[in-house]
Amino acid sequence: MTQYNTLTITNIRRPTSDTSESLTIENGLIKGWNLPEEGQTLDGNGATIVPAFIEPHAHLREPGQEQKEDLASGLAAAAAGGYGTVVSMPNTAPVVDDPAIVRALIDKAAALGFARLRPAAALTRGQDGEQLAELALLAEAGAAVFTDDGRTNENARTLRLGLEYAHSLGKVVSVHAEDAGLRAGGVMNEGPVSEALGLPGNPAAAEAARIARDIEICRMTGGRLHIQHLSTARALELVKAAKTQGVNITCEVCPHHLLLTDEALRSFDAVYKVAPPLRTQSDAQALLAGLKDGSVDCLATDHAPHTRAEKELDLLQAPSGIAYIEIAFPLLWTNFGAELGLSKIVELLTVDVARVLGWPVPSLEAGQPADFTLLDLNTVRPVDPATFKSKAKFNPWVGQDLRGWPMLTVVGGQVAFERA
């Protein structure tokens, strides 16, 4: 991280204007627009400035799985992707179910100088789904969200108690919504493609059935429930209906569920194995429609790095997950910029995430934290793993030409990433 007390960035544009402007930041805050230049000066080269993105769902693998990713590599990758804040998942080794672990992660991340870390803590001890973790102490230590992500919440009573307790603390409970019995050993979407390939399928009903149950628990408790990585049209229908009935439920969608389908598994390449699995084209279209009409609340990457050796196993044995936080915006802008527009995509990555989590809404007004990214919306660059900050230097889009690359990311007034 490059540190500045005062920094003026010149030659930048806001999303709704073609006028070249300047922004001055001082002591971690935005001082104002188009002021006399102060301190150090950086040329924005005509880039578009937006609030730094917020990632509500990423796996940074620390502690205990640092061969896949660690705080330094994961948060550097996030900053390279334009993200200023990351919510990390607690399915590590050990599980993040202890306030001391939460504090240690926050302190270590703060010293690195990349994206800001807001760890999620486990809803239950050891993520075993049975006994609630010490939620009040975890919240006091800095836990942003409670979740057993990586596992499904099979015990309905425990989820009920968790929603009630978290609600009293002003916190959200986020869930990986799949019925484990229906999912069974499915490694891809259940349908004609899985049947043709002879692979065990994970039916769309596994997601829908679990979300239907969780909606009723949320309705009963009045808690705040967030559905992670929603992947099917039917599940979205259930969430939309629940919202019209006043249930306090939100959901996220991941770019890979918009861009890829189960047809990709015909390659038998485990890089396409994710949980929940890639679905059908009609599901992807329904999710995109949900982004347009507002029934999908925000975007998340579910950044899930693994070693290359793990992802080179066959589909039955390989772990689920794709790592691509540093190319998420270029993927979205290149593929959906014309359809969704810049303002909508940025809102789904910033303001809307903050609203889901109950955080202050980010802005670029004077007095606000200096968290922003500069985007080159026009220059085409290939996805080059040699430039990745993440330890996972592979994904389905390697070699593709994309636009919309983050050029500079500022977090708390300090430069966390600058593209060469």
Side-chain angles (χ1 to χ4, degrees):
M1 172 183 282
T2 305
Q3 298 187 352
Y4 300 97
N5 291 326
T6 305
L7 174 67
T8 299
I9 302 179
T10 62
N11 191 18
I12 54 177
R13 290 169 172 79
R14 304 191 216 196
T16 56
S17 172
D18 287 330
T19 302
S20 178
E21 301 188 74
S22 67
L23 180 71
T24 300
I25 60 178
E26 186 173 64
N27 298 324
L29 301 176
I30 294 174
K31 185 174 183 179
W33 288 88
N34 304 314
L35 303 175
E37 292 183 13
E38 296 184 59
Q40 298 292 317
T41 301
L42 288 179
D43 186 348
N45 296 307
T48 299
I49 185 171
V50 299
F53 308 141
I54 304 171
E55 173 55 74
H57 185 172
H59 298 267
L60 301 185
R61 306 304 190 195
E62 188 173 338
Q65 301 166 346
E66 288 86 352
Q67 73 278 13
K68 301 171 186 274
E69 194 82 286
D70 57 28
L71 291 185
S73 63
L75 294 173
Y83 289 84
T85 303
V86 176
V87 177
S88 59
M89 295 297 102
N91 58 328
T92 49
V95 167
V96 183
D97 61 359
D98 185 322
I101 300 177
V102 173
R103 286 191 292 268
L105 289 171
I106 292 172
D107 290 346
K108 182 173 181 179
L112 293 172
F114 300 123
R116 182 183 299 106
L117 181 69
R118 296 290 301 275
L123 182 67
T124 62
R125 292 186 178 181
Q127 291 191 307
D128 66 3
E130 296 299 326
Q131 185 175 1
L132 290 181
E134 297 286 353
L135 303 189
L137 294 178
L138 289 163
E140 184 180 340
V145 180
F146 299 122
T147 180
D148 281 343
D149 181 50
R151 301 186 184 183
T152 56
N153 297 93
E154 296 303 308
N155 188 319
R157 182 175 183 274
T158 300
L159 180 60
R160 172 190 179 177
L161 294 175
L163 278 165
E164 290 172 340
Y165 195 0
H167 187 50
S168 74
L169 299 169
K171 296 292 184 181
V172 176
V173 172
S174 60
V175 293
H176 180 129
E178 288 185 298
D179 184 285
L182 284 173
R183 180 187 64 188
V187 299
M188 64 172 295
N189 182 60
E190 182 178 301
V193 179
S194 67
E195 293 173 6
L197 299 179
L199 290 170
N202 177 347
E207 181 176 77
R210 178 47 49 85
I211 287 176
R213 185 204 73 170
D214 290 356
I215 285 170
E216 294 309 311
I217 298 172
C218 185
R219 189 197 311 273
M220 175 174 62
T221 62
R224 294 165 59 201
L225 181 71
H226 180 65
I227 306 297
Q228 299 173 320
H229 43 46
L230 186 142
S231 68
T232 63
R234 176 57 184 149
L236 184 56
E237 289 175 0
L238 293 169
V239 170
K240 290 172 69 172
K243 287 180 176 181
T244 65
Q245 297 162 11
V247 179
N248 199 355
I249 187 171
T250 55
C251 67
E252 70 191 29
V253 160
C254 301
H256 56 266
H257 284 125
L258 300 168
L259 292 165
L260 304 170
T261 72
D262 57 356
E263 291 288 340
L265 275 299
R266 291 187 185 275
S267 67
F268 289 96
D269 189 339
V271 73
Y272 298 106
K273 183 180 179 183
V274 290
L278 302 177
R279 302 293 187 178
T280 66
Q281 186 62 38
S282 61
D283 287 311
Q285 290 171 345
L287 301 183
L288 182 60
L291 291 174
K292 293 178 181 178
D293 67 23
S295 53
V296 172
D297 295 276
C298 66
L299 285 161
T301 65
D302 190 13
H303 177 78
H306 296 287
T307 66
R308 186 178 294 276
E310 288 173 311
K311 291 299 273 186
E312 287 178 347
L313 296 171
D314 64 48
L315 285 169
L316 296 177
Q317 300 180 70
S320 297
I322 302 175
Y324 64 99
I325 195 168
E326 50 203 301
I327 64 167
F329 182 82
L331 282 171
L332 290 164
W333 179 244
T334 301
N335 289 280
F336 305 114
E339 196 164 356
L340 293 176
L342 178 61
S343 294
K344 180 63 174 177
I345 294 174
V346 171
E347 286 174 3
L348 287 162
L349 293 167
T350 57
V351 171
D352 293 342
V353 181
R355 287 176 176 153
V356 165
L357 297 173
W359 296 354
V361 172
S363 81
L364 298 176
E365 298 304 314
Q368 296 300 306
D371 288 8
F372 55 83
T373 188
L374 302 187
L375 303 171
D376 180 352
L377 298 176
N378 299 314
T379 303
V380 174
R381 293 177 174 84
V383 177
D384 180 4
T387 68
F388 289 179
K389 307 296 184 182
S390 173
K391 292 184 179 182
K393 301 190 184 301
F394 54 92
N395 61 51
W397 301 282
V398 167
Q400 289 192 19
D401 289 332
L402 302 177
R403 295 177 293 111
W405 292 90
M407 303 305 293
L408 180 80
T409 301
V410 172
V411 180
Q414 308 302 326
V415 175
F417 170 77
E418 187 170 6
R419 193 170 300 278

